[in-house]
Amino acid sequence: MDECKSFKKEYDKCFNTWFRDKFLKGSNDDSMCSELLKHYTGCVKKAMKDKDIDIRELRRYHTEIGSKDE
Amino acid sequence: MKIWTVQHTFNYPWETVVQAAWNKYPNPMNTAVLGIDVIDRQVINGELHSHRLVTTRWTLPNWACALMGPISTFYASEYSKVNRDRRQLKLDSRNLSLGPFVVVREKLTYKPHPDDPQKTLLKQTAYVTVEGLPCSGYIENILTNKISGNAAKGRQAIEWVIEKLQHKQPL
């Protein structure tokens, strides 16, 4: 979403570092980028709403892979 | 329904390929994908779950224009899970636009190559279903060919990102 580009850039930078240096090394603590993620997804969800894209409907598409114990 | 499947080996370890996969778009090989945005992401039971929205732009063939009007931006929903203990990334995506006539579902798995753990094996399967339209089989074939071409571009894009990562260029 064009309107969320600056949030995405900040978040992706943080995520890439977290994924490489924390998650892949065994940490489950995802608080490092959580503030940036909140701002970014907040922007994306608003943009989706403006474009009439229903998030709840989307979630139902992935019941198989999305289940916690699959 | 048409099912298309392919396997590809990357000459890089799984950890490298997965980091590149997150940063695959935008890339110069596949300009149809404008971007991917995160909707939700969290670690659940040690696995990283991500739900993302894929935005694409297509030049539509005439038959599609007649059906849908001059829309050119399409969305897809992608859900993925990373299991670092099993060294596995699974992705599942399906189109939002074009429904209910056209359903394109793709499943990808990245895991270490069984014969060489320093390499990564990608398995990709696409399921294309076109219903309630004239010439459904013909349209399924066109879409399947398109997916196969895009899959090759996607693999090139991953190699391209890995090159960039290895030269420490900003993504």
Side-chain angles (χ1 to χ4, degrees):
Chain A
M1 301 283 175
D2 274 349
E3 51 271 63
C4 307
K5 258 187 179 158
S6 59
F7 292 113
K8 177 180 164 62
K9 203 176 162 196
E10 288 293 306
Y11 169 72
D12 279 352
K13 210 170 126 189
C14 182
F15 171 77
N16 283 322
T17 307
W18 172 81
F19 186 76
R20 185 187 63 222
D21 297 343
K22 306 274 182 188
F23 181 76
L24 285 182
K25 293 189 174 150
S27 168
N28 288 336
D29 179 1
D30 55 6
S31 62
M32 186 176 133
C33 310
S34 60
E35 272 301 300
L36 292 171
L37 179 65
K38 203 166 83 188
H39 292 303
Y40 171 38
T41 54
C43 177
V44 171
K45 283 172 187 170
K46 189 183 173 297
M48 286 173 71
K49 206 174 169 190
D50 292 344
K51 293 175 171 70
D52 283 327
I53 304 171
D54 184 351
I55 296 174
R56 280 168 308 169
E57 192 188 335
L58 255 99
R59 193 69 175 77
R60 283 201 292 273
Y61 286 166
H62 309 285
T63 44
E64 192 189 319
I65 187 176
S67 67
K68 288 174 188 172
D69 45 26
E70 191 241 345
Chain B
M1 177 166 76
K2 275 208 75 105
I3 300 175
W4 171 86
T5 187
V6 74
Q7 291 202 20
H8 176 77
T9 303
F10 293 98
N11 290 322
Y12 298 95
W14 177 82
E15 285 77 5
T16 306
V17 174
V18 171
Q19 286 176 62
W22 290 130
N23 295 286
K24 200 169 140 187
Y25 298 110
N27 68 65
M29 291 85 190
N30 187 352
T31 48
V33 178
L34 297 182
I36 304 194
D37 285 298
V38 179
I39 304 169
D40 269 312
R41 177 173 273 157
Q42 53 184 318
V43 178
I44 303 171
N45 299 332
E47 291 184 312
L48 178 66
H49 289 234
S50 307
H51 190 190
R52 304 194 297 175
L53 181 76
V54 185
T55 307
T56 59
R57 183 160 292 163
W58 298 86
T59 325
L60 292 175
N62 285 337
W63 58 265
C65 286
L67 276 165
M68 290 165 298
I71 317 164
S72 59
T73 304
F74 296 101
Y75 298 100
S77 173
E78 178 208 81
Y79 198 98
S80 64
K81 273 202 310 200
V82 183
N83 185 310
R84 70 184 159 221
D85 300 327
R86 276 192 267 162
R87 297 173 82 207
Q88 192 167 280
L89 164 63
K90 273 183 161 188
L91 299 106
D92 173 47
S93 69
R94 81 150 270 184
N95 63 302
L96 298 184
S97 319
L98 301 176
F101 305 113
V102 179
V103 176
V104 179
R105 179 146 222 145
E106 274 192 277
K107 289 178 193 284
L108 285 86
T109 309
Y110 294 87
K111 55 186 179 185
H113 196 287
D115 300 330
D116 183 350
Q118 286 309 304
K119 294 181 180 175
T120 303
L121 184 66
L122 162 67
K123 280 188 190 175
Q124 181 168 6
T125 308
Y127 308 82
V128 180
T129 312
V130 180
E131 278 174 347
L133 296 178
C135 321
S136 290
Y138 172 71
I139 298 171
E140 283 178 351
N141 280 335
I142 291 179
L143 288 171
T144 309
N145 288 338
K146 191 107 185 154
I147 289 167
S148 141
N150 280 339
K153 289 179 194 168
R155 296 192 295 268
Q156 286 165 18
I158 291 209
E159 304 268 359
W160 175 76
V161 177
I162 292 173
E163 288 286 311
K164 277 176 71 167
L165 283 169
Q166 294 198 331
H167 292 94
K168 300 218 184 304
Q169 286 178 32
L171 290 165

